[in-house]
Amino acid sequence: MKRTLTQLAATVALGVALGASSLAQAKEFLLGSELPLTGNLARVGQGMHEGIAVAIEMANRAYAGKHSFKVSTIDDETNPAKAVAAVERLIGDGAVALTGGYGSNIIGPASEAAQKAGVVYITSGGVTPELTARGYPTFFRINNSEGYAKAMIGLLEDMGVKKVSVVYLNKDATTNLAKQVQSALSAKGVTVGMHEFDAATSDFKPLLNKVKLQDRSEAIAMVGYENDYVGILRAAKVLKPQVKAVVGVWSLATAQMAKEFPDLMENVYGTSMLPYPVEFTQPEALEFAAEYKKLFNKEPDYLGQFGYVQTRLLIDAIVRAEEAGTLAKGGLADELRRTDAQTLIGRVTFDAKGDNTNFSHRMGQHQTGKVVLVWPKDAANGAMRFPGVPW
């Protein structure tokens, strides 16, 4: 297990800025972060990791002279057992709370370990309903499968397609989302063909042949991860089914995918909170983008945005709990439940199960090396290219 320590605290200035009496009251808080920095989910784990680092840097500026924050990050290597070990180690090292995690099957046991220790765990990397159905009082997340489904369904509805093929990975989170899309579209009179595959699938041509010859659908809806999208799109480019659109969900409409697979991404849709290049006007968003570029010499994508928002909400709740004198008494979870904030991903509040029921994603489309937001209309910065496929 690889271990990195990202210490971005601004403690060095405290002695000069505050004087001895104030310095005695200032506190440095350690956050723990367990993420897949290697393995199949390394790319998305790195995106969240970067957003967390930005949140630490910005919080240290906002609370300078009062409190400071640092994060210790352990690579779970996309492995549930190593994620549990990471959480236990971080808590043992004194982390007051955990931010991170990617993949519902990894977050499940990792957050259970945090729950047993009574430590708050917040994430944006696991959307399956089972995670919040457990009712753990220490578990929080800022997004969920309902928000992803709303975006995919809304886009397909606006396209006016009547036949859709849903191609989905048979893991919990992807299956749940695929079935939500199927149920909602079927209720609207759309004919839906369901095509399941497992994580070992590398040749998607037999599956795409069914889409082409049996379904004869107007759109392909992909519910999987980056490697799955690449495999499906490569097979589709060979077989060329007569569809009008190819739509996916998380980690697809990103700058990284545009750069690495330009021959596959053109006209493909995916969930994205941000266009690429990024366009920001709100002050916090401008600061976030500037900090991101300073730390990583690139523009942020929505994975970093999620990592930032979850961590910033956590830090603000830590400060409130500390000032209320409840942090050491388990009051952090209560403070998070009192959260009602307008953030870079919209309004965030948490229900009794720790879910942000306000969450709704946006849809972007790869257009000539850019990611253009095309849904919903009030968030769009361009028009969708429809019909449009990569071939």
Side-chain angles (χ1 to χ4, degrees):
M1 185 180 299
K2 296 177 181 177
R3 188 167 192 270
T4 63
L5 177 65
T6 305
Q7 183 168 353
L8 302 168
T11 53
V12 292
L14 287 176
V16 174
L18 299 177
S21 59
S22 298
L23 185 61
Q25 298 173 4
K27 287 193 175 180
E28 182 182 72
F29 297 101
L30 173 66
L31 307 186
S33 182
E34 148 268 320
L35 279 167
L37 300 179
T38 57
N40 293 340
L41 297 177
R43 194 192 310 268
V44 288
Q46 186 63 40
M48 187 187 290
H49 179 62
E50 292 169 356
I52 291 169
V54 172
I56 294 288
E57 190 78 357
M58 287 174 61
N60 278 327
R61 228 175 4 250
Y63 292 107
K66 193 171 185 182
H67 298 300
S68 62
F69 304 88
K70 64 179 181 179
V71 60
S72 178
T73 303
I74 296 180
D75 176 11
D76 66 26
E77 302 176 44
T78 318
N79 181 301
K82 291 184 177 180
V84 170
V87 166
E88 292 173 344
R89 180 170 175 179
L90 290 163
I91 292 172
D93 287 346
V96 296
L98 295 145
T99 174
Y102 209 97
S104 296
N105 65 317
I106 297 174
I107 289 171
S111 58
E112 184 174 347
Q115 163 70 15
K116 287 178 180 175
V119 174
V120 163
Y121 185 109
I122 189 168
T123 187
S124 56
V127 299
T128 185
E130 281 76 8
L131 289 174
T132 47
R134 299 174 303 178
Y136 287 172
T138 58
F139 182 78
F140 297 86
R141 68 179 176 192
I142 60 172
N143 56 353
N144 48 50
S145 61
E146 287 80 4
Y148 284 88
K150 281 180 200 171
M152 180 175 267
I153 293 161
L155 179 72
L156 291 167
E157 201 172 4
D158 281 2
M159 289 174 178
V161 293
K162 297 301 180 188
K163 286 186 176 181
V164 174
S165 296
V166 178
V167 182
Y168 67 100
L169 178 64
N170 63 355
K171 290 189 174 180
D172 288 346
T174 45
T175 298
N176 279 325
L177 178 53
K179 290 184 177 177
Q180 284 177 342
V181 172
Q182 177 196 29
S183 176
L185 291 178
S186 297
K188 297 175 186 298
V190 177
T191 301
V192 182
M194 297 291 281
H195 301 280
E196 176 185 311
F197 62 90
D198 62 37
T201 303
S202 58
D203 183 2
F204 287 89
K205 288 195 286 296
L207 193 152
L208 265 294
N209 243 335
K210 292 180 183 177
V211 171
K212 178 179 180 178
L213 301 177
Q214 294 178 14
D215 292 1
R216 298 178 183 275
S217 54
E218 297 172 89
I220 298 172
M222 305 183 292
V223 186
Y225 297 101
E226 291 162 307
N227 292 341
D228 306 320
Y229 303 140
V230 170
I232 293 166
L233 288 167
R234 281 182 174 151
K237 281 196 74 171
V238 173
L239 296 171
K240 296 182 173 54
Q242 296 299 307
V243 297
K244 299 176 182 175
V246 183
V247 182
V249 278
W250 44 74
S251 59
L252 177 59
T254 65
Q256 200 68 22
M257 293 293 270
K259 289 176 181 175
E260 294 191 19
F261 305 101
D263 59 318
L264 296 177
M265 293 300 129
E266 188 65 14
N267 295 324
V268 171
Y269 303 84
T271 50
S272 181
M273 297 303 294
L274 294 172
Y276 169 73
V278 177
E279 296 176 4
F280 282 130
T281 56
Q282 193 254 354
E284 181 187 8
L286 288 169
E287 184 183 1
F288 163 76
E291 193 64 47
Y292 207 104
K293 191 152 191 174
K294 185 178 83 175
L295 289 178
F296 303 108
N297 194 30
K298 63 181 181 181
E299 295 197 46
D301 61 27
Y302 81 91
L303 293 167
Q305 194 176 9
F306 279 137
Y308 165 78
V309 170
Q310 73 192 40
T311 306
R312 188 55 193 266
L313 291 175
L314 177 63
I315 288 173
D316 291 345
I318 288 170
V319 172
R320 294 199 304 273
E322 172 65 18
E323 292 178 347
T326 63
L327 184 61
K329 303 173 184 174
L332 178 55
D334 292 335
E335 281 300 334
L336 272 171
R337 281 195 195 84
R338 295 188 186 100
T339 294
D340 187 346
Q342 289 296 335
T343 75
L344 301 192
I345 66 162
R347 185 185 179 197
V348 176
T349 60
F350 296 107
D351 66 12
K353 296 178 180 177
D355 221 352
N356 173 24
T357 56
N358 307 288
F359 177 67
S360 180
H361 223 306
R362 299 168 181 170
M363 296 298 296
Q365 184 181 31
H366 287 273
Q367 296 183 3
T368 322
K370 299 179 180 179
V371 175
V372 177
L373 291 184
V374 297
W375 188 95
K377 287 181 181 176
D378 60 3
N381 70 325
M384 72 168 81
R385 292 179 180 171
F386 179 81
V389 292
W391 53 88

